[in-house]
Amino acid sequence: MLALSTILAENPPDPAAMSLPDDVLVRRAQQDMHHFATLYRRHVDSIYRYLLARVSNPQDAQDLTSQTFLAAMEGLPNFRGDSPFVGWLFGIARFKSADFYRHRKPETELDTAVDLTDGLDSADDVVGRHLQIEQVARKLDTLAPDRAEALRLRLFAGLEVAEIARLMDRKEPAVRMLVFRGLR
């Protein structure tokens, strides 16, 4: 099996491929794994934001994002398409974050304001943004688990209510209520 880094290096972003729906890209990637690069580029930011909201640490979120896409790439030949690819991908991310907490030693780490910048943001902006994310993540931990999960998927992952409902195996009105009550 090809390494994800090799696939990304060998396949620069293709604007035409980015406009194709996920199901088409999945079928292509199942035949030729090089097409997985487009799926990765399309979903990596939302998976990372979701995992960052779950673990509150950029390094752990990056590691879990890598693990999520590696697992997706390895499992792609078995993906049947019964549900949307993005839901399947977030299911893997949820499992990876739960597994992370299951195997993690308890620790208190508040000094995680180191972040990669694009050179346009000042260090103060990066630290401020990270601290805001950390505050939101801590606040989410005080909510009921279902409410917190629905909010993470809606706000950080950017999923629509219908996608969250499928992922959480709930009805759409129930997800709307979880998000509403969680925000309140």
Side-chain angles (χ1 to χ4, degrees):
M1 166 142 299
L2 290 170
L4 182 57
S5 58
T6 303
I7 290 172
L8 292 171
E10 292 177 357
N11 296 284
D14 178 6
M18 286 298 279
S19 66
L20 295 173
D22 279 351
D23 60 330
V24 172
L25 291 170
V26 166
R27 283 194 302 275
R28 288 182 180 183
Q30 286 174 325
Q31 300 301 315
D32 178 0
M33 198 51 76
H34 286 91
H35 293 282
F36 190 78
T38 303
L39 290 165
Y40 172 86
R41 287 186 180 98
R42 178 176 290 165
H43 298 294
V44 68
D45 290 338
S46 58
I47 292 291
Y48 172 76
R49 283 191 309 270
Y50 167 73
L51 288 167
L52 182 59
R54 295 277 305 187
V55 299
S56 304
N57 180 313
Q59 185 61 45
D60 291 336
Q62 289 170 3
D63 291 345
L64 290 170
T65 300
S66 296
Q67 291 173 26
T68 297
F69 279 98
L70 181 60
M73 193 172 83
E74 290 172 350
L76 194 63
N78 299 322
F79 178 71
R80 294 187 317 260
D82 297 338
S83 61
F85 174 76
V86 69
W88 181 70
L89 193 59
F90 274 99
I92 294 170
R94 288 176 74 194
F95 174 79
K96 292 295 180 184
S97 65
D99 199 42
F100 168 80
Y101 280 112
R102 229 184 334 272
H103 295 98
R104 189 177 106 164
K105 295 178 185 170
E107 62 183 51
T108 303
E109 189 172 333
L110 298 176
D111 189 24
T112 58
V114 177
D115 199 4
L116 298 175
T117 67
D118 58 6
L120 300 176
D121 295 336
S122 72
D124 289 341
D125 291 340
V126 172
V127 170
R129 199 169 40 249
H130 179 73
L131 291 175
Q132 286 175 340
I133 290 172
E134 191 174 281
Q135 287 173 332
V136 170
R138 275 198 309 261
K139 196 67 161 172
L140 284 171
D141 289 339
T142 66
L143 298 176
D146 285 350
R147 287 181 187 172
E149 186 66 7
L151 278 174
R152 284 184 192 104
L153 291 168
R154 183 72 180 115
L155 300 177
F156 291 99
L159 295 181
E160 297 297 325
V161 171
E163 294 169 312
I164 297 168
R166 280 191 296 274
L167 190 58
M168 293 182 71
D169 197 27
R170 299 280 182 108
K171 302 247 184 248
E172 287 184 40
V175 170
R176 283 190 197 92
M177 186 59 69
L178 286 171
V179 170
F180 173 77
R181 289 182 177 164
L183 287 171
R184 202 177 71 196

Coordinates of all heavy atoms in Angstrom, one line a residue, residues 10-63:
E10 N 2.9 13.0 -4.9 CA 2.8 12.7 -6.3 C 1.5 13.2 -7.0 O 1.4 13.2 -8.2 CB 2.8 11.1 -6.5 CG 4.1 10.5 -6.1 CD 4.0 9.0 -6.2 OE1 3.0 8.4 -6.5 OE2 5.1 8.3 -6.0
N11 N 0.6 13.8 -6.2 CA -0.6 14.3 -6.8 C -0.9 15.7 -6.3 O -1.6 15.9 -5.3 CB -1.8 13.4 -6.4 CG -1.6 12.0 -7.0 OD1 -1.8 11.8 -8.1 ND2 -1.2 11.0 -6.1
P12 N -0.4 16.7 -7.1 CA -0.7 18.1 -6.7 C -2.2 18.4 -6.8 O -2.9 17.6 -7.4 CB 0.1 18.9 -7.7 CG 0.3 18.0 -8.8 CD 0.3 16.6 -8.3
P13 N -2.7 19.4 -6.1 CA -4.1 19.8 -6.1 C -4.6 19.9 -7.5 O -3.9 20.5 -8.4 CB -4.2 21.1 -5.4 CG -3.0 21.1 -4.5 CD -1.9 20.3 -5.2
D14 N -5.7 19.3 -7.8 CA -6.4 19.4 -9.1 C -7.7 20.0 -9.0 O -8.7 19.4 -8.5 CB -6.5 17.9 -9.7 CG -7.2 17.9 -11.0 OD1 -7.5 18.9 -11.6 OD2 -7.5 16.8 -11.5
P15 N -7.9 21.3 -9.4 CA -9.2 22.0 -9.3 C -10.3 21.2 -9.9 O -11.4 21.3 -9.4 CB -8.9 23.3 -10.0 CG -7.4 23.5 -10.0 CD -6.9 22.1 -10.1
A16 N -10.1 20.6 -11.0 CA -11.2 19.8 -11.7 C -11.6 18.7 -10.8 O -12.8 18.4 -10.7 CB -10.7 19.3 -13.0
A17 N -10.7 18.0 -10.2 CA -11.1 16.9 -9.3 C -11.8 17.4 -8.1 O -12.7 16.7 -7.5 CB -9.8 16.0 -9.0
M18 N -11.4 18.5 -7.6 CA -12.0 19.1 -6.3 C -13.5 19.3 -6.5 O -14.2 19.4 -5.6 CB -11.3 20.3 -5.9 CG -9.9 20.1 -5.3 SD -10.0 19.1 -3.8 CE -10.4 20.3 -2.6
S19 N -13.9 19.5 -7.8 CA -15.3 19.8 -8.0 C -16.2 18.6 -8.1 O -17.4 18.6 -8.2 CB -15.5 20.7 -9.3 OG -15.1 19.9 -10.4
L20 N -15.6 17.4 -8.2 CA -16.3 16.1 -8.3 C -16.9 15.8 -6.9 O -16.3 16.0 -5.9 CB -15.4 15.0 -8.7 CG -14.8 15.1 -10.1 CD1 -13.7 14.1 -10.4 CD2 -15.9 15.1 -11.2
P21 N -18.0 15.1 -6.9 CA -18.6 14.7 -5.6 C -17.8 13.6 -5.0 O -17.0 12.8 -5.7 CB -20.0 14.2 -6.0 CG -20.1 14.1 -7.5 CD -18.9 14.8 -8.0
D22 N -17.9 13.4 -3.7 CA -17.2 12.4 -2.9 C -17.3 11.0 -3.5 O -16.4 10.3 -3.6 CB -17.5 12.5 -1.4 CG -16.9 13.6 -0.7 OD1 -16.0 14.2 -1.2 OD2 -17.2 13.8 0.5
D23 N -18.6 10.7 -3.8 CA -18.8 9.3 -4.2 C -18.1 8.9 -5.5 O -17.6 7.8 -5.6 CB -20.3 9.0 -4.3 CG -21.0 9.9 -5.3 OD1 -20.6 11.0 -5.5 OD2 -22.0 9.4 -5.9
V24 N -17.9 9.9 -6.4 CA -17.1 9.7 -7.6 C -15.7 9.5 -7.2 O -15.0 8.6 -7.7 CB -17.3 10.8 -8.6 CG1 -16.4 10.7 -9.8 CG2 -18.8 10.9 -9.1
L25 N -15.2 10.4 -6.4 CA -13.8 10.3 -6.0 C -13.5 9.0 -5.2 O -12.4 8.4 -5.4 CB -13.4 11.5 -5.1 CG -13.3 12.8 -5.9 CD1 -13.2 14.0 -4.9 CD2 -12.2 12.8 -6.9
V26 N -14.4 8.6 -4.4 CA -14.2 7.3 -3.7 C -14.1 6.1 -4.6 O -13.2 5.3 -4.5 CB -15.3 7.1 -2.6 CG1 -15.3 5.7 -2.1 CG2 -15.2 8.1 -1.5
R27 N -15.0 6.1 -5.6 CA -14.9 5.0 -6.6 C -13.6 5.0 -7.4 O -13.0 4.0 -7.6 CB -16.1 5.1 -7.6 CG -17.4 4.6 -7.0 CD -18.5 4.3 -8.0 NE -18.8 5.5 -8.8 CZ -19.7 6.4 -8.4 NH1 -20.3 6.3 -7.3 NH2 -19.9 7.4 -9.2
R28 N -13.1 6.2 -7.7 CA -11.8 6.4 -8.4 C -10.7 5.9 -7.5 O -9.8 5.2 -7.9 CB -11.6 7.8 -8.9 CG -12.5 8.2 -10.1 CD -12.2 9.6 -10.5 NE -13.0 9.9 -11.7 CZ -12.9 11.1 -12.3 NH1 -12.1 12.0 -11.9 NH2 -13.7 11.3 -13.3
A29 N -10.8 6.3 -6.2 CA -9.7 6.0 -5.3 C -9.7 4.5 -5.0 O -8.6 3.9 -4.7 CB -9.8 6.8 -4.0
Q30 N -10.8 3.9 -5.0 CA -10.9 2.4 -4.8 C -10.2 1.7 -6.0 O -9.6 0.6 -5.8 CB -12.3 1.9 -4.7 CG -12.9 2.3 -3.3 CD -14.4 2.0 -3.2 OE1 -15.1 2.1 -4.1 NE2 -14.8 1.6 -2.0
Q31 N -10.1 2.3 -7.1 CA -9.5 1.7 -8.3 C -8.0 2.1 -8.4 O -7.1 1.3 -8.7 CB -10.2 2.1 -9.6 CG -11.6 1.7 -9.7 CD -11.8 0.2 -9.5 OE1 -11.1 -0.6 -10.2 NE2 -12.7 -0.2 -8.7
D32 N -7.7 3.4 -8.0 CA -6.4 3.9 -8.0 C -6.2 4.8 -6.8 O -6.8 5.9 -6.8 CB -6.1 4.7 -9.3 CG -4.8 5.3 -9.4 OD1 -4.0 5.2 -8.5 OD2 -4.5 6.0 -10.5
M33 N -5.4 4.4 -5.8 CA -5.3 5.1 -4.6 C -4.8 6.6 -4.7 O -4.9 7.4 -3.8 CB -4.4 4.3 -3.6 CG -4.6 4.7 -2.2 SD -6.2 4.8 -1.5 CE -6.6 3.1 -1.3
H34 N -4.2 6.9 -5.9 CA -3.7 8.3 -6.1 C -4.9 9.3 -6.0 O -4.7 10.5 -5.7 CB -3.0 8.4 -7.4 CG -1.6 7.8 -7.3 ND1 -1.4 6.4 -7.6 CD2 -0.4 8.2 -6.9 CE1 -0.2 6.1 -7.5 NE2 0.5 7.2 -7.0
H35 N -6.1 8.9 -6.3 CA -7.3 9.8 -6.2 C -7.6 10.1 -4.7 O -8.4 11.0 -4.5 CB -8.5 9.2 -6.9 CG -8.3 9.1 -8.4 ND1 -8.4 10.2 -9.2 CD2 -7.9 8.0 -9.2 CE1 -8.1 9.8 -10.5 NE2 -7.8 8.5 -10.5
F36 N -7.1 9.4 -3.8 CA -7.4 9.6 -2.4 C -6.8 11.0 -2.0 O -7.3 11.6 -1.0 CB -6.7 8.5 -1.5 CG -7.2 8.6 -0.1 CD1 -8.4 8.1 0.3 CD2 -6.3 9.2 0.9 CE1 -8.8 8.2 1.6 CE2 -6.7 9.2 2.2 CZ -8.0 8.8 2.6
A37 N -5.8 11.5 -2.7 CA -5.2 12.8 -2.3 C -6.3 13.9 -2.4 O -6.3 14.8 -1.5 CB -4.1 13.2 -3.3
T38 N -7.2 13.9 -3.3 CA -8.3 14.9 -3.5 C -9.2 14.8 -2.3 O -9.6 15.8 -1.7 CB -9.0 14.7 -4.8 OG1 -8.1 14.8 -5.9 CG2 -10.1 15.8 -4.9
L39 N -9.6 13.6 -1.9 CA -10.5 13.4 -0.7 C -9.8 13.9 0.5 O -10.4 14.6 1.4 CB -10.8 11.9 -0.5 CG -11.7 11.3 -1.6 CD1 -11.7 9.8 -1.5 CD2 -13.1 11.9 -1.4
Y40 N -8.5 13.6 0.7 CA -7.7 14.1 1.8 C -7.8 15.7 1.8 O -8.1 16.3 2.9 CB -6.3 13.6 1.7 CG -5.4 14.2 2.8 CD1 -5.3 13.7 4.0 CD2 -4.6 15.4 2.5 CE1 -4.5 14.2 5.0 CE2 -3.8 15.9 3.4 CZ -3.7 15.4 4.7 OH -2.9 15.9 5.6
R41 N -7.4 16.3 0.7 CA -7.4 17.8 0.7 C -8.8 18.4 1.0 O -8.9 19.4 1.6 CB -6.8 18.2 -0.6 CG -5.3 18.0 -0.8 CD -4.8 18.6 -2.1 NE -3.4 18.3 -2.1 CZ -2.8 17.3 -2.8 NH1 -3.6 16.5 -3.5 NH2 -1.5 17.1 -2.8
R42 N -9.8 17.7 0.5 CA -11.1 18.3 0.7 C -11.6 18.2 2.2 O -12.2 19.1 2.7 CB -12.1 17.5 -0.1 CG -13.6 17.9 0.1 CD -14.5 17.2 -0.8 NE -14.3 17.6 -2.2 CZ -14.7 17.0 -3.3 NH1 -15.5 15.9 -3.1 NH2 -14.5 17.4 -4.5
H43 N -11.2 17.2 2.9 CA -11.7 17.0 4.3 C -10.7 17.2 5.4 O -11.1 17.2 6.6 CB -12.3 15.6 4.3 CG -13.5 15.4 3.4 ND1 -14.7 16.1 3.5 CD2 -13.6 14.6 2.3 CE1 -15.5 15.7 2.6 NE2 -14.9 14.8 1.8
V44 N -9.4 17.4 5.1 CA -8.4 17.4 6.2 C -8.7 18.6 7.2 O -8.5 18.4 8.4 CB -7.0 17.5 5.6 CG1 -6.7 18.8 4.9 CG2 -6.0 17.2 6.7
D45 N -9.1 19.7 6.7 CA -9.3 20.9 7.6 C -10.4 20.6 8.6 O -10.3 20.9 9.7 CB -9.5 22.2 6.8 CG -8.2 22.6 6.1 OD1 -7.1 22.3 6.5 OD2 -8.3 23.4 5.1
S46 N -11.5 20.1 8.1 CA -12.7 19.9 9.0 C -12.4 18.8 9.9 O -12.8 18.9 11.1 CB -14.0 19.7 8.2 OG -13.8 18.5 7.3
I47 N -11.7 17.7 9.5 CA -11.3 16.7 10.4 C -10.4 17.2 11.5 O -10.6 16.9 12.7 CB -10.7 15.5 9.7 CG1 -11.7 14.8 8.8 CG2 -10.0 14.5 10.6 CD1 -12.8 14.0 9.5
Y48 N -9.4 18.0 11.1 CA -8.5 18.6 12.1 C -9.2 19.5 13.1 O -9.0 19.4 14.3 CB -7.4 19.4 11.4 CG -6.5 20.1 12.3 CD1 -5.5 19.4 13.1 CD2 -6.6 21.5 12.5 CE1 -4.7 20.1 14.0 CE2 -5.9 22.2 13.4 CZ -4.9 21.5 14.2 OH -4.2 22.2 15.1
R49 N -10.1 20.4 12.6 CA -10.8 21.2 13.5 C -11.7 20.4 14.5 O -11.7 20.8 15.7 CB -11.7 22.2 12.7 CG -10.9 23.4 12.1 CD -11.9 24.4 11.6 NE -12.9 23.9 10.7 CZ -12.9 23.8 9.4 NH1 -11.8 24.1 8.7 NH2 -13.9 23.3 8.7
Y50 N -12.3 19.4 14.0 CA -13.1 18.6 14.9 C -12.3 17.9 15.9 O -12.6 17.9 17.1 CB -13.8 17.5 14.0 CG -14.4 16.4 14.8 CD1 -15.6 16.6 15.6 CD2 -13.9 15.1 14.8 CE1 -16.1 15.6 16.3 CE2 -14.4 14.1 15.6 CZ -15.5 14.3 16.3 OH -16.1 13.3 17.1
L51 N -11.1 17.3 15.5 CA -10.3 16.6 16.5 C -9.6 17.6 17.5 O -9.4 17.3 18.6 CB -9.2 15.8 15.8 CG -9.8 14.6 15.1 CD1 -8.8 14.0 14.1 CD2 -10.3 13.5 16.1
L52 N -9.3 18.8 17.0 CA -8.7 19.8 17.9 C -9.8 20.2 19.0 O -9.4 20.4 20.1 CB -8.3 21.1 17.1 CG -7.7 22.2 17.9 CD1 -6.4 21.7 18.6 CD2 -7.3 23.4 17.0
A53 N -11.0 20.3 18.6 CA -12.1 20.6 19.6 C -12.2 19.4 20.5 O -12.6 19.6 21.7 CB -13.4 20.8 18.8
R54 N -11.9 18.2 20.1 CA -12.0 17.0 21.0 C -10.9 16.9 22.0 O -11.1 16.6 23.1 CB -12.1 15.7 20.1 CG -13.3 15.5 19.3 CD -14.4 15.0 19.9 NE -14.1 13.7 20.6 CZ -15.0 13.0 21.1 NH1 -16.3 13.3 21.1 NH2 -14.7 11.9 21.7
V55 N -9.6 17.2 21.5 CA -8.5 16.9 22.3 C -7.8 18.2 22.9 O -6.9 18.1 23.7 CB -7.4 16.0 21.6 CG1 -8.1 14.7 21.3 CG2 -6.9 16.7 20.4
S56 N -8.1 19.4 22.3 CA -7.6 20.7 22.8 C -6.1 20.8 22.7 O -5.5 21.7 23.3 CB -8.0 20.9 24.2 OG -9.4 20.9 24.3
N57 N -5.4 20.0 21.9 CA -4.0 20.1 21.7 C -3.7 20.0 20.2 O -3.9 18.9 19.6 CB -3.4 19.0 22.5 CG -1.9 19.0 22.4 OD1 -1.3 19.1 21.4 ND2 -1.2 18.9 23.6
P58 N -3.0 21.0 19.7 CA -2.7 20.9 18.2 C -1.9 19.7 17.8 O -2.2 19.1 16.7 CB -2.0 22.2 17.9 CG -2.4 23.1 19.0 CD -2.6 22.3 20.2
Q59 N -0.9 19.4 18.5 CA -0.1 18.2 18.2 C -0.9 16.9 18.2 O -0.8 16.1 17.3 CB 1.2 18.1 19.1 CG 2.1 17.0 18.7 CD 2.7 17.2 17.3 OE1 3.1 18.3 17.0 NE2 2.7 16.2 16.5
D60 N -1.6 16.7 19.2 CA -2.5 15.5 19.3 C -3.5 15.5 18.2 O -3.8 14.5 17.6 CB -3.2 15.4 20.7 CG -2.2 15.1 21.8 OD1 -1.1 14.6 21.5 OD2 -2.5 15.5 23.0
A61 N -4.1 16.7 17.9 CA -5.1 16.8 16.8 C -4.4 16.4 15.5 O -5.1 15.7 14.6 CB -5.7 18.1 16.8
Q62 N -3.2 16.9 15.3 CA -2.5 16.6 14.0 C -2.2 15.1 13.9 O -2.4 14.5 12.9 CB -1.2 17.4 13.9 CG -1.4 18.8 13.7 CD -0.1 19.6 13.9 OE1 1.0 19.1 14.1 NE2 -0.2 20.9 13.7
D63 N -1.8 14.5 15.0 CA -1.5 13.0 15.0 C -2.8 12.2 14.7 O -2.8 11.3 13.9 CB -0.9 12.6 16.4 CG 0.5 13.1 16.6 OD1 1.1 13.6 15.6 OD2 0.9 13.1 17.8

